[in-house]
Amino acid sequence: MVGNDWVNSYLEAILAAEPGIGDSKYSDSKSSLLLRERGHFSPTRYFVEEVITGFDETDLHRSWIQAAATRSPQERNTRLENLCWRIWNLARQKKQVAGKYAKRTAKRHLLRERARLEATADMSEDLSEGEKADVPGEILTPTDSSKGRMSRISSVDVFENWFAQHKEKKLYIVLISLHGLIRGENMELGRDSDTGGQVKYVVELARALGSMPGVYRVDLLTRQVSAPDIDWSYAEPSEMLNPLDTDTDQEHGESSGAYIIRIPFGPKDKYVEKELLWPHIPEFVDRALSHVMQMSKALSEHIGGGKPVWPVAIHGHYADAGDSTALLSGALNVPMVFTGHSLGRDKLEQLLKQGRPKEEINSNYKIMRRIEAEELCLDASEIIITSTRQEIEEQWRLYDGFDPVLERKLRARMKRGVSCHGRFMPRMVVIPPGMEFHHIVPHDVDNDGEGARDDENPQSPDPPIWSEIMRFFSNPRKPMILALARPDPKKNLVTLVKAFGECRPLRELANLTLIMGNRDDIDELSSTNASVLLSILKLIDKYDLYGQVAMPKHHKQSDVPEIYRLAAKTKGVFINPAVIEPFGLTLIEAGAHGLPMVATKNGGPVDINRVLDNGLLVDPHDQQAIADALLKLVSDKNLWTRCRQNGLKNIHLFSWPEHCKTYLSRIAGCKQRHPQWQSTDFENSDPDSPSDSLRDIKDISLNLKLSLDGEKGEGKSTNLDNEESSSERKAKLEKAVSTLAPKSTSTEKVDGSGKIPTLKRRKYIFVISVDCDKASDLLQVVKTVIEVGGRNGSSIGFILSTSMNVSETHSTILSGGLNPQDFDAVICSSGSELYFTSSASEDKNKLPYALDSDYHSHIEYRWGGESLRKTLVRWISSVHEKKKGQHDGEILSEDVSSSSNYCLSFKVKEPTLVPPVKELRKLMRVQALRCNAVYCKGGTKLNVIPVLASRSQALRYLLVRWGVDLSKMVVFVGDSGDTDYEGLLGGVHKTVIVKGVTSDATARVLHGNRSYPLEDVTPVNSSNITGADQCDRECIQAALEKLGVKT
């Protein structure tokens, strides 16, 4: 029939979109229209839930209904046919998105398998027989013997043993959480998207850690906000967190306890969302570094016996804080811990599946910058803390820097004492969030389902929220099935209502309560939330659930415990039917109130139920399974009682003290490292001494101390990168120093037995970090800056920061007619070498520079050394193979003369043909090699240095080691530069961008294929950054005056 053509095209579109979805018995047009009412397959539900999962197609559904109601048959058919074509187009889009996802997955799998093979080949020389038999596969699943117990509990014994041996320890821990509004009391959770569960988590973690034995001080660093529309409390520089348990016998002292420390950074007088904080991360790092150093000095007087007390760990929360933590832990050389809370790659995959363009996603969420920060966290962290195993298996494995198969192999080698060849994977540890149970008093429940009244005040009235809920029920004495979630499709509440409505025995035995946030008018909600609520209201009407379902419009946060109590009083059940639940904190809250649970089998509830053993897990897509599980718990009183008792008995395993025991045991297992100098002096020399200049270093000792963490060889370390003895590293370093210059020259080495170098007496320090293609252009900038700053005896000091090694730097200085003594220090090889200039020696073969060997021990963390070099050589061969048709000669070659023990240099003969730096980083990360790759000198050179080494980090080292004030520094850069250029722009130092000294062609080669735009990380309208239109005295002088620098 012509009038039914739209039905045929509709069904054809569905069949084309998903072969096999349409069953022959539903192909009849008449039955197709009625199936939606019967609760079976319907075309409308199909395209809403399956064709483009994640899109809100409520409007399309409404249009379909309106079109079907059109009186004119011709107009109705035309409109319905147009809708059919739209559905077909949506189905095609879904196919395209699925195809792209499949290609990305296949490419990632191929790259990872290749990396595993190469890594295994490198390590095959000393593999044990057991390892050789290992076949790459899935993560090992827990054995039956571990069932009913989470792995995190086993580490408590480690903590107790460790604490028994270190009772005198007084630990200092630093937590970092940057975005949102953080305060200890009256948290404004839900005020905006940045002030949510993470804020509550970090505050409670800090408070709990501060109350633990052996922990002296905890600092939670966050952003200071003094905006006019924000409460004044967020502008307070510090806030002490009052301990929950005031009866504890924890030793208290000056500066002890847990504190929120608010660091000012970013736009002043303005509260900004987290996506706009990226350009200001360096400023936070600099200010946080100053705070930690001041606190370390203060604690040295209180509990350190005059020795600095460094953080035992720095723990970053979310990607922005993780990026900060990586830089801060690198600057201080202390262990890093990271918790992602939510991950960028997972979010990117979900958004791409919805068909959203990658450019739009990155523009809205700065997602690529976030992902790079998370990759850096994998490079730098000792431990990654997750809430569930699902987060490891399904989210972290999406990252280049984490492969669970390779991680397992490396962990096995480490335990057997076999070399890992410079490879490292952070330890993934599942530690579920803790809860505060001190305010929860589960009420006894009698056999008839009546809860006992408050014993202390039996006449106390019921909480108002109880009457607000019970007014919905015709029989409020029936057990209550409670769901507490946002009206979001992923929370699967519609399926729950269907399961309840279609199971008559369940409806007769129980009531259903849905706490779905707060609302005044459904029309004021987002279209997605409104759609879910409308669907639920229609189902209530369809199944005639009036008097059996409660949907209160409002509740306060303080009402939530009372809602749990009400459900427990009626011998009810808590349910979380989400499609995927990353953790499930509400399940723990329900268990603490004695409520058995029914929960999704996808995600965190699996781990929670393994510990609490207080409920049943179901397939969230199986409507019948949900109804059966609820009916089983409600109808079987013995099962209900057993689940309640199990939950109450085991809930302490999710308390904050238990969380902190596991947390501290993991930190205790880290290889402790901290700033360790050849000199034991904590204070630098007198800054007022007229001879305190880096230029006056003479007669210094060659005694090198190279142990990363200052250990004297006592005990056996089990860390992955503990592969060489200190004597081997010392020999390698001395060999490296000898290769930095021609064999006819040598340099001195700084240690604490000689005169301590310092720049503290300088009024300003000019750091010249301009990256020019030609040496003549660099010399012009250097001469101009020195001319502006003044020479010899001036209050202004100079540091030259380049990608060249010390020998090349020295030759460049001399070729321009400059004197090495014009500079206080030189930073060489892209930040992997630091030298202080010394007086000219009578020995003409000796370069007038003294190597700061402490800097080497400071940056050698995770350095891959020879294994990294071999991998890079293989990469060069692969580049030549791929470009064989485009170029006949060499594209890349190893530059042995410019390399050192902490910098692998390569010559780039065809910059346009080499892969971008992001591809090189990916290659290194998939093989568990941690490094910082920098294209420099206009793309004609590649330097590969330790992962936490850079020119900007070298400046922070001057603060940590020599007490140089970063705010006194003025950094000169070009309008473009090497691929580490962005790190030089932000911070508390002042920056002058000298324009016209780098070519646009070079900028396109080096920065044309970045993971994220440079604009995403460049501070805008910063008072610390200005430009000089030309490289001449007048322009630079004017730029300095804008910055308030008087020469």
Side-chain angles (χ1 to χ4, degrees), residues 306-317:
K307 295 181 179 180
V309 178
W310 300 104
V312 68
I314 304 179
H315 185 172
H317 295 266

Side-chain angles (χ1 to χ4, degrees), residues 357-487:
K358 192 171 183 178
E359 295 75 16
E360 176 191 325
I361 297 170
N362 194 49
S363 175
N364 292 339
Y365 301 106
K366 304 295 185 286
I367 201 78
M368 299 312 297
R369 179 64 184 89
R370 175 179 172 183
I371 289 172
E372 177 58 29
E374 289 160 343
E375 292 281 10
L376 179 61
C377 291
L378 286 168
D379 290 338
S381 295
E382 296 270 4
I383 296 172
I384 304 285
I385 294 178
T386 70
S387 297
T388 66
R389 186 156 296 279
Q390 181 266 351
E391 187 178 340
I392 301 172
E393 296 173 352
E394 298 184 19
Q395 297 184 46
W396 275 116
R397 73 184 308 161
L398 296 174
Y399 286 77
D400 301 327
F402 182 72
D403 177 1
V405 176
L406 189 54
E407 190 270 346
R408 192 170 70 246
K409 287 182 173 290
L410 293 174
R411 192 64 50 191
R413 295 176 69 89
M414 178 193 73
K415 289 181 179 179
R416 297 168 188 171
V418 181
S419 171
C420 294
H421 294 268
R423 287 173 165 81
F424 172 78
M425 287 280 179
R427 185 66 182 269
M428 294 282 175
V429 179
V430 179
I431 312 180
M435 265 197 64
E436 295 178 355
F437 299 127
H438 67 285
H439 62 286
I440 298 176
V441 182
H443 285 226
D444 293 332
V445 178
D446 60 29
N447 293 330
D448 296 327
E450 286 293 335
R453 283 271 185 178
D454 190 334
D455 294 336
E456 295 183 4
N457 189 4
Q459 301 303 319
S460 60
D462 291 337
I465 191 64
W466 285 18
S467 58
E468 177 65 20
I469 292 173
M470 289 189 291
R471 69 183 178 87
F472 284 87
F473 301 134
S474 56
N475 183 1
R477 294 173 62 88
K478 291 197 295 186
M480 178 195 298
I481 297 170
L482 172 63
L484 196 155
R486 304 187 312 274

Side-chain angles (χ1 to χ4, degrees), residues 796-817:
I796 295 176
F798 299 96
I799 297 176
L800 181 59
S801 176
T802 79
S803 61
M804 299 180 287
N805 66 19
V806 67
S807 180
E808 295 167 338
T809 302
H810 181 66
S811 298
T812 301
I813 291 173
L814 294 181
S815 68

Side-chain angles (χ1 to χ4, degrees), residues 115-134 406 409-410 413 416 418-421 423 867 870 874 927:
R116 286 175 188 164
L117 289 173
E118 291 186 7
T120 303
D122 281 352
M123 298 187 293
S124 62
E125 303 167 1
D126 50 4
L127 281 177
S128 66
E129 291 302 318
E131 278 186 290
K132 289 179 180 178
D134 268 350
L406 189 54
K409 287 182 173 290
L410 293 174
R413 295 176 69 89
R416 297 168 188 171
V418 181
S419 171
C420 294
H421 294 268
R423 287 173 165 81
S867 295
K870 289 180 180 179
R874 281 199 303 268
Q927 295 207 38

Side-chain angles (χ1 to χ4, degrees), residues 102 173 277 327 353 381 384 433 619 713 763 798 882 1022 1029:
I173 299 174
L277 288 178
L327 297 177
K353 286 180 182 178
S381 295
I384 304 285
D619 180 352
K763 184 178 180 182
F798 299 96
K882 290 178 182 178
S1022 171
D1029 295 332

Side-chain angles (χ1 to χ4, degrees), residues 132-160:
K132 289 179 180 178
D134 268 350
V135 177
E138 294 302 314
I139 296 177
L140 292 175
T141 56
T143 60
D144 291 340
S145 62
S146 64
K147 190 175 181 181
R149 185 185 185 198
M150 292 187 74
S151 59
R152 70 189 188 95
I153 306 305
S154 63
S155 64
V156 174
D157 294 337
V158 177
F159 167 74
E160 292 175 347

